[in-house]
Amino acid sequence: MYSLPPGGFRHPYPALAMNASMSSLVSSRFSPHMVAPAHPGLPTSGIPHPAIVSPIVKQEPAAPRLSPAASAKSPVTVKKEEEKKPHVKKPLNAFMLYMKEMRAKVVAECTLKESAAINQILGRKWHNLSREEQAKYYELARKERHLHSQLYPTWSARDNYGKKKKRKREKQLSQAQSQQQVQEADGALVSKSKKPCIQYLPPEKPCDSPASSHGSMLDSPATPSAALASPAAPAATHSEQAQPLSLTTKPETRAQLALHSAAFLSAKAAASSSGQMGSQPPLLSRPLPLGSMPAALLTSPPSFPATLHAHQALPVLQAQPLSLVTKSAH
DNA sequence: TTGCCTTTGAAGACG
DNA sequence: CGTCTTCAAAGGCAA
């Protein structure tokens, strides 16, 4: 079963963390106790909402002003007021919640600290989670979004667009190109990414798990049923035995380690194009449509996303000896 | 100092 | 409507 790491989850607001419970994940971020509500019905306090951060983007210390009172101002004034507006962050999605919670645990068990590597581990662990376990996080994320929308009724994700000075477009284009090139090159890795696409980790069992006699300790012990329901989990283990446990992130070594998932691409292509393989969808560690969800999960609003985009198809590690990989997702 | 890396999911933008 | 893009977290690393 799933359990929270004892103190492993680094609460962003320790003073306000109630206890190590799943619910605290949500309440911690969007606890009304912390928020000067933008919503009349919500409790009030002077403590800023966690989603309001001193920005990546510069944030004026001036009092947050979300009031609609500011109207009919000159463009310059409006612009200034916009700059004064607190940076309300996006609510965390299910995976982000999972990452937040599990990161400390993974970091503790690994010697790794690089988030990129940790995130790869977490991504794999996420896939290895049973649907029931994932459902918890989808539900949490749903609650977060709901609470967020209550706290900031007028907030839109659009508000944060461009707030990060990123050049992701270029990066993602490169990734798309890389994927396409990999497909076209039939396994030959031809990456045009600005930086080489790095596989930080061996496909599975990313850390030395000393006390693990039957698999990585990091792997949340997905229930047997989950393992059955999730072909990706067993499939992902193939290379965990085959790959050395080098976790270096040095480019040179990364390049050598970047041997992992042209198989992803073919699997993704198959998954997205065929939609189903025979009677059994190949990828079940992804949330399934409601119809296939356990009855218990259906008692609450949909915990799993109803749709599965092609680019979100689960990267399945196929039983291939070695595969070239650029990036396993997107 | 700043952005990238890396992950998944949600949502906005766009054709 | 389907696809693409951006942003959420996080900390090391490179420029």
Side-chain angles (χ1 to χ4, degrees), chain A residues 177-250:
Chain A
Q177 286 176 353
S178 295
Q179 287 191 1
Q180 205 167 16
Q181 287 166 351
V182 167
Q183 285 178 307
E184 289 170 356
D186 193 23
L189 178 59
V190 183
S191 174
K192 277 193 169 181
S193 297
K194 182 175 60 178
K195 284 179 113 179
C197 293
I198 306 309
Q199 187 66 27
Y200 283 84
L201 304 166
E204 182 68 11
K205 191 178 180 181
C207 300
D208 279 315
S209 305
S212 173
S213 60
H214 56 282
S216 170
M217 288 175 59
L218 290 178
D219 287 336
S220 49
T223 63
S225 61
L228 287 176
S230 176
T237 64
H238 81 275
S239 43
E240 112 181 46
Q241 299 146 356
Q243 297 266 349
L245 216 47
S246 169
L247 296 180
T248 176
T249 58
K250 298 286 184 200

Side-chain angles (χ1 to χ4, degrees), chain A residues 240-291:
Chain A
E240 112 181 46
Q241 299 146 356
Q243 297 266 349
L245 216 47
S246 169
L247 296 180
T248 176
T249 58
K250 298 286 184 200
E252 303 93 297
T253 319
R254 289 181 189 175
Q256 292 171 358
L257 282 176
L259 301 171
H260 162 161
S261 87
F264 281 15
L265 300 170
S266 58
K268 287 174 69 173
S272 58
S273 63
S274 67
Q276 60 176 19
M277 298 174 75
S279 59
Q280 286 272 358
L283 312 171
L284 288 181
S285 66
R286 260 293 180 261
L288 293 177
L290 282 180

Side-chain angles (χ1 to χ4, degrees), chain A residues 52-85:
Chain A
I52 302 179
V53 291
S54 59
I56 313 172
V57 198
K58 238 178 297 173
Q59 177 182 344
E60 301 279 341
R65 241 180 266 310
L66 287 175
S67 81
S71 58
K73 301 260 176 105
S74 74
V76 176
T77 308
V78 169
K79 193 174 180 179
K80 280 186 178 179
E81 299 234 338
E82 278 184 4
E83 288 175 357
K84 283 184 182 178
K85 267 168 58 171

Side-chain angles (χ1 to χ4, degrees), chain A residues 287-327:
Chain A
L288 293 177
L290 282 180
S292 57
M293 289 183 61
L297 297 176
L298 292 176
T299 58
S300 56
S303 300
F304 286 126
T307 60
L308 175 58
H309 295 290
H311 76 281
Q312 293 173 323
L314 174 66
V316 171
L317 285 172
Q318 292 182 334
Q320 295 183 0
L322 276 180
S323 44
L324 293 176
V325 174
T326 56
K327 189 167 183 289

